[in-house]
Amino acid sequence: MAGGRGLVQRLATFLTGLLECMGFAGVIFGWASLVFVLKNEKYFDNLCIQAENGTTNSSVVPDCSAQDEQFSLVFTIGAFMNNFVTLPNGYIYDHFGTRVIRLIGIFLYTIATLLIAFSTADTAILLFPALSLLSSGGIVFLLTNIQVGNLFDAHRSTIITLYNGAFDSSSAVFLLVKVLHESGFSLKSMFLFISACSVGHLLRTFFLMPRTHIPYPVPEGYSYGLPCGKVAGYNVSDPSKSLEAPTGGSTADGRLREDEEARETMMGKAGAEQSGPSFWSCVFSKLFGFHLLWLSVMQLRHYLFIGMLNVMLSRLAHGDTATISRYTNAFAFTQFCGVFCAPWNGIIMDRHKRGKKAAENTEDSLADLRSSVLSLAITVMQCVVFSICATIPVLSVQYATFIFQVLNRSFLYGGNAAFMSIAFPPAHFGKLFGLVMTLSALVALLQYPCFSLVKDVLHGDPFYMNIGFLIVILLAFAHPINVFLECRRRQKKLLEGGQKQPAVLGEEAKHMHDESEM
């Protein structure tokens, strides 16, 4: 690929990926705004009970707690699917490549938006499959765009966290839906437009994304995508060879290039498998276990906050619709700012990595792992502050809660993706990323019993539950401490044995095996 054209294509891939994540990937987390619209459209309205207040002149106030519980269940299942399907998605991504998993994701996303577009108050039950498919397809956009960071080595962590921030910011799409609905646009027309945007996803899949994966580090002469009038493919082993089809487009030549690409892909996977630890040794490592704990407790805290936001605002605002709408808009707007918050985490990791590597002359794998310690600890501290603010039952304080929530959520998911990419072998990234998201999704299912606990036992007051979560979140500090100790152990081993750090990132299991043999 020519240098100028290659740079343009990489920038186009980066910018369109940012737009894709920001506009589509995580829209389900703007649920609070969509609930406001769905209530106006009378979805699940039949679950409201007309409660008598004992006075003859006062208006009857409906009890809609059952309606709120149904909306909470829709979000719980949708949020669960957002993480749970990441494991099969990761497996397909690792074994069949980017193009296959993106086509599956685009299909699921399109079906989901069409279900919402053609749903009505009478068919509100369609929200259950629609939200599940919407989150299942949306996470594919994030999963396949994380590899774009490999194209920009010096800013890899920054780009990964930026995409995760864009994923968070996409929740503001439902704020736009809410605002347009209040301006007279129908729910059907808006979701039909979102569905039509799948054409853009398809074009990007074929022209600006690889058929298999973007390697790391990127070999010289690497190319990807499907250039107009040329055969798709790339030649990593010999970048000097032209990849362009000769005039006339020989079928045999095209088959030869396809065979070469398939062989390179298989050799790359085989080499990665042999040079690094196995998938299961990574799964049963302490790094993976503590990271799962770190992600699960904080993710559950965020899911519960989002799922109960409308109920919490209704309680603090004493049912005033205008106040609830204003705070819902404020929350959705702060979610949009996630794209600006997330890169800070990547910048911290990239700068910390360069500083440590220059000061101590350590290799990339250990420098990468060390760079994550500060990021992991800051993320836990942010979640503690966010939880404290959420515990205070004062409506105006919730503005601060919204700010800390989006900041922490951006650091959480950006840091999760970055840590998984640097702490474990690239050959297992899709499967490990999917597994940690799936297992954390099982923990996130606790949000529904927590909602029921607040509703039935605590009489709608989440104060004591928030106190309990604040204590649980402190357990997440175990992860950065464990990573710090692991880095010290690896550095000590390098100094004592004079051995070089292995090229494959995050080989905790392999180091433990080496020690057992000594």
Side-chain angles (χ1 to χ4, degrees):
M1 185 194 301
R5 177 180 166 272
L7 178 60
V8 171
Q9 186 184 32
R10 293 184 185 201
L11 289 176
T13 299
F14 164 68
L15 293 175
T16 55
L18 187 63
L19 178 62
E20 187 173 73
C21 288
M22 188 182 296
F24 304 93
V27 293
I28 186 177
F29 296 104
W31 178 242
S33 297
L34 186 61
V35 165
F36 195 89
V37 174
L38 295 174
K39 284 187 174 182
N40 286 339
E41 292 288 327
K42 309 300 183 182
Y43 281 64
F44 300 121
D45 193 56
N46 60 303
L47 298 177
C48 290
I49 302 173
Q50 300 298 324
E52 297 182 2
N53 55 13
T55 63
T56 57
N57 296 327
S58 301
S59 59
V60 177
V61 179
D63 178 9
C64 293
S65 58
Q67 182 192 36
D68 291 331
E69 189 171 4
Q70 195 75 350
F71 280 126
S72 176
L73 183 59
V74 172
F75 176 74
T76 299
I77 295 175
F80 168 76
M81 292 300 294
N82 180 77
N83 287 2
F84 184 77
V85 299
T86 312
L87 179 57
N89 284 345
Y91 180 86
I92 295 172
Y93 171 67
D94 281 347
H95 287 268
F96 298 100
T98 302
R99 190 170 298 169
V100 171
I101 189 58
R102 279 183 63 87
L103 291 176
I104 294 173
I106 293 168
F107 174 75
L108 296 178
Y109 202 91
T110 305
I111 295 298
T113 51
L114 290 176
L115 284 175
I116 298 176
F118 289 103
S119 68
T120 63
D122 294 330
T123 58
I125 197 71
L126 289 178
L127 290 178
F128 284 96
L131 267 293
S132 296
L133 293 175
L134 191 70
S135 59
S136 300
I139 194 65
V140 170
F141 296 141
L142 176 62
L143 177 65
T144 55
N145 277 304
I146 287 175
Q147 62 183 321
V148 175
N150 296 348
L151 297 174
F152 305 89
D153 182 38
H155 307 286
R156 187 186 181 207
S157 295
T158 302
I159 290 175
I160 292 174
T161 53
L162 178 63
Y163 277 157
N164 279 268
F167 176 88
D168 295 336
S169 294
S170 64
S171 58
V173 169
F174 281 167
L175 170 62
L176 183 60
V177 169
K178 175 179 177 292
V179 172
L180 292 177
H181 184 266
E182 292 172 341
S183 301
F185 287 84
S186 68
L187 196 65
K188 180 178 181 180
S189 62
M190 289 184 286
F191 274 90
L192 284 177
F193 174 79
I194 296 175
S195 181
C197 291
S198 294
V199 175
H201 301 317
L202 287 172
L203 293 175
R204 185 168 183 273
T205 298
F206 286 101
F207 292 100
L208 292 176
M209 295 295 286
R211 187 185 67 83
T212 52
H213 307 91
I214 299 175
Y216 181 76
V218 176
E220 185 178 354
Y222 171 74
S223 64
Y224 60 95
L226 187 65
C228 297
K230 299 177 183 179
V231 178
Y234 55 85
N235 191 331
V236 175
S237 59
D238 189 358
S240 64
K241 293 182 180 180
S242 174
L243 299 178
E244 300 186 14
T247 305
S250 169
T251 304
D253 188 50
R255 289 177 179 172
L256 177 61
R257 276 188 293 272
E258 290 176 359
D259 291 341
E260 288 177 352
E261 183 177 357
R263 184 168 62 254
E264 288 165 2
T265 303
M266 293 175 63
M267 289 176 64
K269 288 182 179 180
E273 295 284 351
Q274 293 174 3
S275 61
S278 68
F279 168 72
W280 289 110
S281 64
C282 295
V283 171
F284 291 108
S285 64
K286 287 195 298 181
L287 282 181
F288 186 86
F290 277 102
H291 185 71
L292 176 61
L293 171 68
W294 177 87
L295 175 65
S296 297
V297 296
M298 289 190 283
Q299 178 176 256
L300 176 59
R301 184 68 191 92
H302 283 276
Y303 279 11
L304 189 62
F305 179 77
I306 295 172
M308 293 188 61
L309 180 61
N310 190 267
V311 177
M312 181 193 71
L313 293 178
S314 297
R315 182 175 182 276
L316 295 179
H318 305 291
D320 182 63
T321 304
T323 302
I324 297 171
S325 178
R326 185 171 70 253
Y327 274 84
T328 300
N329 290 347
F331 172 74
F333 177 77
T334 56
Q335 297 303 294
F336 175 75
C337 297
V339 70
F340 305 110
C341 301
W344 301 349
N345 196 8
I347 292 172
I348 289 173
M349 297 178 74
D350 284 333
R351 289 179 63 87
H352 192 53
K353 171 188 174 181
R354 290 194 293 267
K356 285 290 184 182
K357 186 177 179 182
E360 302 179 12
N361 195 30
T362 56
E363 296 193 8
D364 281 342
S365 57
L366 184 56
D368 271 326
L369 199 59
R370 279 183 170 175
S371 71
S372 66
V373 175
L374 181 61
S375 167
L376 296 171
I378 290 175
T379 303
V380 181
M381 184 58 67
Q382 289 171 344
C383 194
V384 170
V385 176
F386 152 58
S387 298
I388 291 174
C389 292
T391 303
I392 301 174
V394 178
L395 192 59
S396 58
V397 174
Q398 301 315 307
Y399 286 122
T401 305
F402 298 161
I403 294 172
F404 284 112
Q405 189 270 342
V406 70
L407 182 63
N408 180 237
R409 188 162 176 265
S410 299
F411 269 62
L412 176 64
Y413 288 108
N416 171 52
F419 182 81
M420 296 301 294
S421 68
I422 66 178
F424 299 101
H428 304 310
F429 172 77
K431 296 185 290 293
L432 289 171
F433 183 78
L435 182 61
V436 77
M437 297 297 283
T438 298
L439 294 177
S440 66
L442 295 175
V443 177
L445 286 176
L446 292 173
Q447 64 178 301
Y448 187 71
C450 287
F451 180 90
S452 299
L453 175 67
V454 172
K455 173 178 171 289
D456 299 329
V457 179
L458 300 178
H459 308 291
D461 186 358
F463 179 80
Y464 291 106
M465 186 197 66
N466 288 334
I467 293 295
F469 265 103
L470 185 59
I471 296 173
V472 171
I473 288 167
L474 296 177
L475 297 175
F477 276 112
H479 184 36
I481 293 174
N482 176 65
V483 175
F484 174 75
L485 294 176
E486 173 65 16
C487 291
R488 288 187 60 181
R489 188 187 69 80
R490 293 188 185 185
Q491 183 66 28
K492 181 179 179 180
K493 182 178 179 180
L494 289 174
L495 293 176
E496 290 179 352
Q499 301 175 358
K500 285 185 174 289
Q501 186 75 6
V504 178
L505 306 180
E507 300 186 12
E508 180 194 13
K510 187 176 180 181
H511 282 290
M512 294 174 65
H513 177 70
D514 290 342
E515 285 185 344
S516 66
E517 291 183 346
M518 290 180 60

